[in-house]
Amino acid sequence: MGRKNQKKKMWNRKRKLEESEDKSKKDRKPYVKCISSNPKMEAYYAAIGLHATQKSGPDSKDFKPCLSAEDMEAERVKFITCMRTSLRASFRIAQNIEEEFREHLIEDVENFVGTEIEIEVDEEGNAVSKARGDATMDVSGTDTEGNVTDIDAGKTTLKKLAPAKAIPYIPDAYQLSVDRRTIRRNPALQNFHEWLKAQTDAGFVTRQETVSMIPPVVLSPEPHHAVLDMCAAPGSKTSQLLEYVSSIPEGGTEPEGFVVANDSDAKRAYMLVHQLRRINSPASFVTAKDAQFFPQLLRGENTTDEERAQEGLFDRVLCDVPCSGDGTGRKNPGIWKHWSQSAAHSIHPVQVGIGLNGARLAKVGGFICYSTCSMNPIENEAVVAQILRDADGSLELVDKRKDMPNIVARPGWTKWKVFGESESKRIKKDRQKKNNAKMKKRRKEYEEKQGNGKSLDVEENRVVDDTQEEETKEDPWSETPDSWDENYLTTRAALQGLIEFKTFEDVPINHRHHIRQSCFPPSAEEVDKFNLERCLRCLPHDLDTGGFFVALFKKISPLSARAKRKADELARANSDKYDFRHSKHDKNESKPNQNEDIVPEKSSEGIPSTELSKKKKGGYGFNNAESFVTADTSLLHDLSDFYGFTEEFTNSQFYSRAGGKSKILYYITESVKKNLIDRGIQDKIQVINSGLRGFERRNKDDCVVNYRPCQESIHYIAPHMSKRKFAIGPKDFYNCLKRGSNAAIPCESFSEPICKKLRETSLGAFVFVLEGYELDISKKMYMVMWRCRGDAVNCLVCEAEMNGFKSKLKAFTGIGEDIIPFNNNIEMHIEKEKNESNEEPAQTTFSNIRDKCIIQ
Ligand SMILES: C[S@@+](CC[C@H](N)C(=O)[O-])C[C@H]1O[C@@H](n2cnc3c(N)ncnc32)[C@H](O)[C@@H]1O
């Protein structure tokens, strides 16, 4: 093609791009506030008694029944008002970082958001966006009472926001008085946002919803524990669990515990790997499998009697199951639009199946946590009751309230009403037709002729009330029920298509596969036995959070053969009905295999086609083409020689996923190898990832050993290195940090002895460690470097980790600078308050609250 034509094509492409950008700008709809309302959801929750209990006193953590209609209405209003405000953002400081450094980060938090902050708001009190001048965010209810500052700044004013609060039942966690969008977009919070991003990238801080932090704290694994997270993606709870098991025992060089993070959706499991990379721990093992079929990991003939007696491998199991998610309405507007009671019934059997398999996989004496972000008893207490029923006395519920003294959580319910949704597909279609403008008009005319505004759909036993539908469209949440009488509330629910079934026998036979016996409340005898009140029910207005449910089981004996059979049957029935097995590996499987021992599958049936094709190309293991296999021995020998490892170390801890001279060698902990790989986990399920990248092959062939260590695992590998490792002082360390990632750093810029050593070092990778931290591995002060051809070295550390090093170096030695200096205005503000009141400004310290927050 001639040059002229090429240019023409390029200009055409550019023009088209500009046109499409212009078009998309024009088409961009203005920000419209989503109405958080759903009449059916409101009618359902009122009818099943969500507003029937209240706090015993304003600061009480106990609850009592609402005895009057006024009390119930007050409860409803509190609930609704809260549900309609946007969710406050929250974050926590990682638990696996050094105490000294944690204190430093807490100080940063105090400086940034520990005092009242003034932010710019528009005339309606909405926070002003820095990205789009016209867009505004809802921060209503976040200001300190009546404290709107009357400073005129054109159309905007300054409004004082309450300081961040330490979350009293989660260690080192904070809840802000603004939502995520405001943090992202308001200029007053820009520095704090930058700080938050940098610390998140470095793995020291995790932005996580407050209630989502509860299950790992309830489980509180010990550092040597084997933990299973059955439904793990996107991984916020997994990273929290990983922090518990990532600590290195005294005298050791790696964690003893591990977390298996599983999700049925392989794509989501890959996202999980990305999320966990921040934590930089080798103690994770990511798999993709329907949790109902996650296998028992016995060791065939080598299984000991003790292992058989314990039944499961895991000390802690988290079942954060898929759910309708109606507790997340404060951050997910879609919940309001799409809520349906059927969703709870549909997901209920899968939730029971996952919980039961979790119980089977736990050790006797271990704990299983069941959690959902739904408020619906069908997904909560009904599931817990069925798990207890099927487990036949092997499990008991544990009340964690006493270990989390400041948590406000309502007791689990022992009775509830069961509703079915009357809307069949046909009825739904009809209703959509009715809402069609033309149909509506005709219908109105017809009904006027009939002389009333209502018609009864006899077939479906459903009252259709158009006038009501019109009214509720506006703002159904602000509508007080005419009466709090139970019968009235049930009828009101019927108006929304919700039909109550008093007993299972009332459920029409053709609906019983959907509305199951297990959805109904337990019998009086079971109520006494199950102790459902020990569950934690978190309602949004109790702690200004999302809605959440948590139950903790203790496994007191192995599951009976009958219980296991039941679990198998349920899982099989569910897998026939629902396609939760997103992974390619799972889709070819139809039988649960919990009771199998590790017999590698011999047949080639059930192998994903991609894996088969890989086999044809590469000729490696067919069960799991991505299996971890011990790396090439000659390569490991060369590595040991060049970096000074013992061969025992390299031979046992480096794996490749493709065999031969693969691009990456993975570093896997002894405990992951012994408990998972050696037990044949790879023969049973799809393994997505494990360990950390230990060595990476270089494309250039200019060095004796063409593999360089990776920064992500260097803290675990370097203690075993006896060659090419240099301890340097803080100034030399900072010298590398200030130059940035991959920049050439002249040898002469280091102190004289280090410069001399560097000049004597041959081409290739080496490691710097901060003096005094050689054996203090948990502080992670190792850096991967490269000796270049000229008189220079490179620092092979990415930008995010460089920032992390800067923060730590400043905290440990006082040298260097903080990555994001905090807002000077706030400093001035504290100073001003101090001068005015001659005492410390209120709420500037979190330490008091932190002291109370030691989880036992
Ligand atoms: C509530 S989310 C889990 C959230 C996660 N624990 C966290 O804290 O980030 C539920 C997850 O379960 C997965 N899932 C759905 N059905 C599953 C099944 N049968 N087995 C395993 N995972 C499943 C979904 O893909 C989804 O990622």
Side-chain angles (χ1 to χ4, degrees):
M1 195 191 297
R3 254 192 194 178
K4 239 182 175 177
N5 269 347
Q6 261 183 356
K7 252 191 177 171
K8 206 172 156 190
K9 261 197 162 181
M10 201 178 79
W11 281 114
N12 272 344
R13 228 180 288 145
K14 207 174 161 196
R15 186 176 46 81
K16 270 188 191 158
L17 198 76
E18 278 171 6
E19 273 173 12
S20 72
E21 272 174 8
D22 277 356
K23 196 167 173 264
S24 74
K25 264 184 209 163
K26 264 185 228 155
D27 291 350
R28 202 182 286 158
K29 288 185 183 131
Y31 177 78
V32 182
K33 210 175 152 215
C34 170
I35 294 182
S36 313
S37 65
N38 183 315
K40 192 186 272 187
M41 182 171 163
E42 183 222 14
Y44 174 71
Y45 278 116
I48 64 163
L50 193 76
H51 316 304
T53 47
Q54 59 183 340
K55 273 190 188 172
S56 301
D59 295 323
S60 174
K61 281 179 237 127
D62 297 325
F63 293 87
K64 61 177 186 187
C66 295
L67 296 176
S68 65
E70 289 75 39
D71 283 353
M72 292 203 218
E73 174 58 11
E75 252 311 292
R76 189 191 70 86
V77 168
K78 272 188 212 157
F79 170 75
I80 288 159
T81 314
C82 183
M83 283 294 275
R84 298 186 82 173
T85 57
S86 48
L87 189 67
R88 313 285 159 248
S90 48
F91 65 94
R92 55 178 187 80
I93 295 173
Q95 291 303 290
N96 60 336
I97 57 175
E98 279 300 298
E99 190 56 35
E100 212 176 331
F101 183 46
R102 198 162 42 235
E103 293 296 336
H104 180 80
L105 292 179
I106 291 168
E107 221 172 273
D108 278 354
V109 176
E110 278 186 33
N111 288 337
F112 278 117
V113 285
T115 49
E116 284 174 351
I117 304 164
E118 283 177 339
I119 69 166
E120 231 178 315
V121 292
D122 67 9
E123 282 146 348
E124 286 169 28
N126 297 320
V128 172
S129 156
K130 69 180 175 221
R132 283 191 287 156
D134 57 326
T136 54
M137 277 74 52
D138 168 28
V139 290
S140 46
T142 58
D143 58 329
T144 41
E145 244 178 296
N147 251 345
V148 179
T149 326
D150 198 15
I151 300 169
D152 200 311
K155 277 187 200 160
T156 60
T157 51
L158 290 177
K159 182 175 181 175
K160 281 186 182 175
L161 291 181
K165 280 189 254 165
I167 302 171
Y169 44 93
I170 313 280
D172 302 322
Y174 304 90
Q175 188 167 318
L176 297 155
S177 51
V178 286
D179 63 358
R180 288 182 303 177
R181 283 169 58 97
T182 308
I183 299 178
R184 263 202 318 265
R185 294 180 164 208
N186 195 280
L189 293 164
Q190 190 169 357
N191 273 2
F192 172 64
H193 184 222
E194 294 299 325
W195 178 89
L196 205 54
K197 273 197 307 190
Q199 302 298 357
T200 304
D201 290 346
F204 305 143
V205 162
T206 301
R207 285 177 268 182
Q208 190 177 353
E209 217 190 295
T210 305
V211 280
S212 151
M213 301 175 194
I214 298 175
V217 173
V218 160
L219 272 178
S220 49
E222 290 172 36
H224 62 279
H225 275 167
V227 183
L228 171 62
D229 188 349
M230 297 189 91
C231 310
S236 49
K237 295 179 196 74
T238 317
S239 38
Q240 207 178 343
L241 289 167
L242 204 50
E243 288 167 19
Y244 281 95
V245 299
S246 287
S247 57
I248 297 167
E250 233 181 282
T253 54
E254 62 178 25
E256 284 180 355
F258 59 89
V259 178
V260 177
N262 174 70
D263 201 280
S264 61
D265 186 333
K267 266 196 209 138
R268 286 174 68 85
Y270 279 107
M271 266 163 49
L272 183 65
V273 174
H274 182 72
Q275 160 88 345
L276 298 186
R277 196 154 280 157
R278 273 181 337 109
I279 311 294
N280 190 228
S281 165
S284 68
F285 198 91
V286 182
T287 60
K289 178 88 180 167
D290 180 338
Q292 301 175 92
F293 299 100
F294 196 94
Q296 281 287 35
L297 295 167
L298 294 173
R299 294 189 293 127
E301 286 170 4
N302 299 330
T303 310
T304 61
D305 288 346
E306 195 193 336
E307 280 171 339
R308 283 192 201 284
Q310 281 183 329
E311 189 171 51
L313 168 73
F314 297 98
D315 300 275
R316 301 285 187 269
V317 178
L318 175 60
C319 310
D320 188 37
V321 296
C323 64
S324 66
D326 62 16
T328 64
R330 292 180 73 184
K331 70 166 190 189
N332 293 333
I335 293 292
W336 300 103
K337 207 169 163 199
H338 303 294
W339 185 92
S340 93
Q341 165 59 3
S342 299
H345 286 295
S346 303
I347 203 95
H348 166 94
V350 177
Q351 293 168 331
V352 176
I354 294 176
L356 267 179
N357 198 31
R360 177 170 15 195
L361 296 167
K363 265 183 193 160
V364 173
F367 290 89
I368 304 111
C369 178
Y370 174 85
S371 59
T372 71
C373 45
S374 161
M375 300 175 284
N376 200 331
I378 304 298
E379 299 176 71
N380 297 329
E381 287 88 346
V383 174
V384 171
Q386 184 60 20
I387 294 171
L388 288 168
R389 200 173 287 129
D390 283 345
D392 248 348
S394 299
L395 301 176
E396 65 181 24
L397 278 176
V398 180
D399 194 344
K400 278 301 267 190
R401 284 177 181 79
K402 61 180 183 324
D403 296 333
M404 302 172 80
N406 295 306
I407 193 161
V408 181
R410 294 172 189 236
W413 293 2
T414 50
K415 56 178 199 278
W416 55 88
K417 289 182 175 180
V418 178
F419 285 90
E421 243 167 313
S422 65
E423 254 185 354
S424 65
K425 269 188 190 158
R426 187 178 58 77
I427 300 282
K428 201 170 177 182
K429 233 178 177 179
D430 283 354
R431 188 167 60 86
Q432 277 161 359
K433 264 194 207 162
K434 273 177 210 158
N435 286 342
N436 170 308
K438 237 185 196 169
M439 291 291 284
K440 243 182 181 175
K441 204 173 149 212
R442 271 198 228 150
R443 189 176 155 78
K444 216 171 168 191
E445 284 165 12
Y446 168 78
E447 276 168 0
E448 271 166 12
K449 255 191 225 164
Q450 299 287 311
N452 62 26
K454 286 180 184 178
S455 66
L456 182 65
D457 188 338
V458 183
E459 191 191 35
E460 288 292 325
N461 198 13
R462 197 168 75 101
V463 179
V464 182
D465 183 342
D466 272 0
T467 37
Q468 208 245 347
E469 200 171 325
E470 282 298 305
E471 270 173 31
T472 52
K473 248 186 199 160
E474 266 302 293
D475 193 356
W477 282 93
S478 58
E479 215 187 72
T480 309
D482 292 342
S483 154
W484 283 94
D485 173 72
E486 263 192 49
N487 290 334
Y488 172 80
L489 293 175
T490 310
T491 316
R492 187 166 171 261
L495 286 173
Q496 298 297 334
L498 295 164
I499 307 299
E500 188 190 357
F501 297 110
K502 293 224 185 288
T503 65
F504 181 58
E505 284 66 42
D506 294 344
V507 180
I509 296 197
N510 59 347
H511 279 84
R512 288 190 187 173
H513 64 282
H514 184 59
I515 301 172
R516 299 173 179 231
Q517 174 96 59
S518 54
C519 296
F520 286 81
S523 65
E525 196 191 319
E526 286 178 330
V527 167
D528 288 342
K529 221 167 52 180
F530 290 169
N531 297 310
L532 290 173
E533 67 287 349
R534 291 180 182 168
C535 303
L536 307 174
R537 244 184 184 270
C538 304
L539 289 194
H541 55 303
D542 290 339
L543 287 167
D544 195 2
T545 58
F548 209 71
F549 176 88
V550 185
L552 184 68
F553 300 97
K554 181 171 184 181
K555 182 165 175 178
I556 48 179
S557 62
L559 261 65
S560 66
R562 185 172 149 264
K564 285 180 197 167
R565 212 173 36 247
K566 274 195 150 184
D568 284 348
E569 279 165 16
L570 180 65
R572 210 172 290 144
N574 286 340
S575 79
D576 288 344
K577 193 164 168 215
Y578 311 102
D579 189 11
F580 281 105
R581 300 165 301 150
H582 304 286
S583 75
K584 289 176 189 166
H585 199 84
D586 280 339
K587 281 199 171 136
N588 293 290
E589 191 181 314
S590 60
K591 280 183 192 160
N593 55 2
Q594 289 90 340
N595 291 324
E596 290 167 21
D597 235 323
I598 46 158
V599 186
E601 292 155 31
K602 292 270 162 23
S603 112
S604 63
E605 277 171 28
I607 306 159
S609 56
T610 48
E611 294 186 7
L612 275 175
S613 61
K614 271 187 190 168
K615 180 186 183 304
K616 271 183 218 150
K617 278 187 210 159
Y620 46 85
F622 72 86
N623 267 334
N624 211 335
E626 302 250 302
S627 285
F628 287 95
V629 292
T630 320
D632 182 276
T633 41
S634 67
L635 169 62
L636 292 176
H637 175 80
D638 291 350
L639 283 180
S640 302
D641 209 36
F642 191 67
Y643 293 105
F645 297 117
T646 63
E647 297 227 342
E648 193 194 344
F649 171 71
T650 46
N651 287 348
S652 63
Q653 302 210 255
F654 288 105
Y655 282 75
S656 79
R657 298 201 79 174
K661 306 236 183 249
S662 68
K663 187 160 169 41
I664 308 279
L665 298 185
Y666 290 87
Y667 165 75
I668 292 204
T669 67
E670 192 63 44
S671 142
V672 165
K673 174 186 175 307
K674 201 173 81 197
N675 288 298
L676 300 170
I677 295 180
D678 290 355
R679 282 170 192 258
I681 190 167
Q682 307 189 96
D683 302 326
K684 296 191 160 196
I685 52 179
Q686 186 182 2
V687 175
I688 303 289
N689 202 301
S690 178
L692 297 172
R693 282 180 301 167
F695 282 91
E696 196 174 68
R697 197 181 57 216
R698 292 180 72 246
N699 290 333
K700 283 187 197 160
D701 206 5
D702 54 357
C703 177
V704 184
V705 169
N706 221 19
Y707 278 79
R708 69 166 179 87
C710 301
Q711 178 63 30
E712 66 178 50
S713 62
I714 195 63
H715 321 289
Y716 304 97
I717 293 174
H720 298 271
M721 276 168 75
S722 58
K723 294 181 188 169
R724 305 184 74 86
K725 179 171 77 175
F726 311 115
I728 55 173
K731 282 191 181 151
D732 281 335
F733 204 91
Y734 184 62
N735 184 33
C736 299
L737 298 181
K738 72 177 183 211
R739 313 254 170 181
S741 201
N742 266 319
I745 312 168
C747 291
E748 63 186 14
S749 64
F750 289 92
S751 61
E752 212 182 300
I754 298 300
C755 171
K756 189 164 169 268
K757 272 188 196 165
L758 293 177
R759 283 178 174 156
E760 286 162 7
T761 303
S762 62
L763 189 81
F766 67 95
V767 170
F768 271 155
V769 55
L770 182 64
E771 234 161 37
Y773 293 81
E774 297 90 327
L775 298 176
D776 203 349
I777 304 159
S778 52
K779 287 206 171 91
K780 296 189 174 172
M781 295 305 280
Y782 285 95
M783 269 192 296
V784 177
M785 306 290 295
W786 185 264
R787 176 70 175 94
C788 323
R789 276 193 195 285
D791 191 32
V793 293
N794 288 152
C795 181
L796 306 182
V797 180
C798 71
E799 210 54 46
E801 205 152 345
M802 283 245 168
N803 284 337
F805 274 130
K806 280 182 194 162
S807 287
K808 284 198 280 187
L809 190 69
K810 176 88 176 142
F812 297 152
T813 67
I815 287 187
E817 85 272 13
D818 264 327
I819 31 176
I820 313 287
F822 86 89
N823 195 339
N824 291 336
N825 294 340
I826 299 171
E827 235 170 4
M828 276 161 50
H829 180 78
I830 299 172
E831 241 0 85
K832 202 175 120 212
E833 264 204 29
K834 259 191 195 169
N835 294 341
E836 276 170 9
S837 60
N838 259 344
E839 58 186 38
E840 283 293 298
Q843 302 211 45
T844 49
T845 163
F846 295 118
S847 40
N848 304 347
I849 309 164
R850 253 169 41 80
D851 290 346
K852 285 187 211 151
C853 184
I854 295 158
I855 309 296
Q856 285 136 38

